[in-house]
Amino acid sequence: MMRARSFANTLALSGLMLALAAAAPAQAQQRPYLIWLDAAKIDVAKVIGLPPGQNTPEAKTEFEEVQAIAAARTPEREKAAIADQHQTLSAFLNGIDHAYVENTHREVRLLMREAQIELGILLKSVNRLTNRTRPFLMWSKVRIKPCPGGRPSGTSFPSAHAATAALYATLLSEAVPELADKFEARVKSYNESRLVCGFHFRSDLEAGDKIGRVVGKALLADPTFRVRYNETLPEIRLAFGLK
């Protein structure tokens, strides 16, 4: 029985590895799980630093800021913030003037997804170092009311949403510099949604933004990823109606 289970597990693992290899680009197949970067060369903890200590004046100021922003949100802004809860390229691009159509340009979506996976792997290395309570879970005389829908769990620091937005902006601006200002404006509104919903503090967003940009620049500097990026670059520009 034990041998049968072991054999079944081996088959399942082999199937998973084959599926990953088939789904990955040729250049990525030499790197299991789409790991492009050397994690040892990116000191994530040094990049993001630490959040303000609990019960410090800085932490109190941050909480009061989120409290005020969340309390003042309009139904329209809440609706937009709820839509921004999705960490996808389409969700990021919503709200800005562009020619990109959702669920088109498959290679662009795959490239951004691969980069996002890389970012997620690096963030996992520091998530266990902090255990910051999210604003809407903290007790106060007046509690912060979170946006309806899915409520995030885990540490509040750093913000994976802010990191993803910065990553997208870095990679897209390299290919489409004509829209760089729009991408940066979208980063700000996308991140603000996390304050509007009471999901993050300002320093969470700042830390996420820093690591997202570092990872984006590191990917662009990586020769193997750069080949993959350059192959997709014409389609990125085409996706935004540019040549």
Side-chain angles (χ1 to χ4, degrees), residues 155-213:
T155 180
S156 181
F157 184 93
S159 167
H161 276 73
T164 299
L167 176 71
Y168 286 158
T170 301
L171 297 179
L172 292 174
S173 294
E174 176 79 5
V176 192
E178 300 94 324
L179 299 179
D181 289 344
K182 289 186 177 181
F183 295 142
E184 288 303 325
R186 180 56 178 140
V187 168
K188 292 180 180 178
S189 65
Y190 191 74
N191 290 353
E192 183 187 22
S193 289
R194 307 306 286 173
L195 301 175
V196 169
C197 284
F199 292 155
H200 281 291
F201 297 100
R202 179 77 62 183
S203 57
D204 301 337
L205 302 175
E206 292 172 350
D209 187 86
K210 287 179 182 178
I211 190 60
R213 294 182 191 279

Side-chain angles (χ1 to χ4, degrees), residues 41-194:
K41 294 182 179 180
I42 299 180
D43 191 341
V44 181
K46 184 177 180 179
V47 171
I48 66 175
L50 292 172
Q54 189 175 2
N55 298 323
T56 63
E58 293 80 9
K60 182 176 182 293
T61 298
E62 281 201 318
F63 179 80
E64 290 174 346
E65 178 194 25
V66 179
Q67 196 174 48
I69 293 174
R73 69 183 182 234
T74 63
E76 293 76 16
R77 187 64 184 91
E78 181 179 82
K79 182 178 180 181
I82 292 173
D84 286 345
Q85 292 183 34
H86 300 288
Q87 281 180 261
T88 63
L89 179 61
S90 294
F92 173 75
L93 292 175
N94 283 341
I96 66 173
D97 182 22
H98 61 81
Y100 187 89
V101 179
E102 187 175 2
N103 294 326
T104 59
H105 301 284
R106 178 176 178 273
E107 289 304 314
V108 178
R109 288 187 285 113
L110 285 177
L111 177 71
M112 294 300 162
R113 181 58 181 157
E114 290 169 17
Q116 189 177 350
I117 289 173
E118 190 80 352
L119 174 64
I121 292 172
L122 291 170
L123 286 179
K124 281 291 184 183
S125 68
V126 299
N127 281 346
R128 65 180 182 274
L129 299 179
T130 63
N131 189 27
R132 193 180 196 187
T133 303
R134 294 180 183 272
F136 73 93
L137 291 174
M138 296 184 68
W139 288 98
S140 181
K141 293 180 180 178
V142 180
R143 293 198 68 181
I144 294 174
K145 183 180 179 182
C147 291
R151 299 180 181 182
S153 58
T155 180
S156 181
F157 184 93
S159 167
H161 276 73
T164 299
L167 176 71
Y168 286 158
T170 301
L171 297 179
L172 292 174
S173 294
E174 176 79 5
V176 192
E178 300 94 324
L179 299 179
D181 289 344
K182 289 186 177 181
F183 295 142
E184 288 303 325
R186 180 56 178 140
V187 168
K188 292 180 180 178
S189 65
Y190 191 74
N191 290 353
E192 183 187 22
S193 289
R194 307 306 286 173

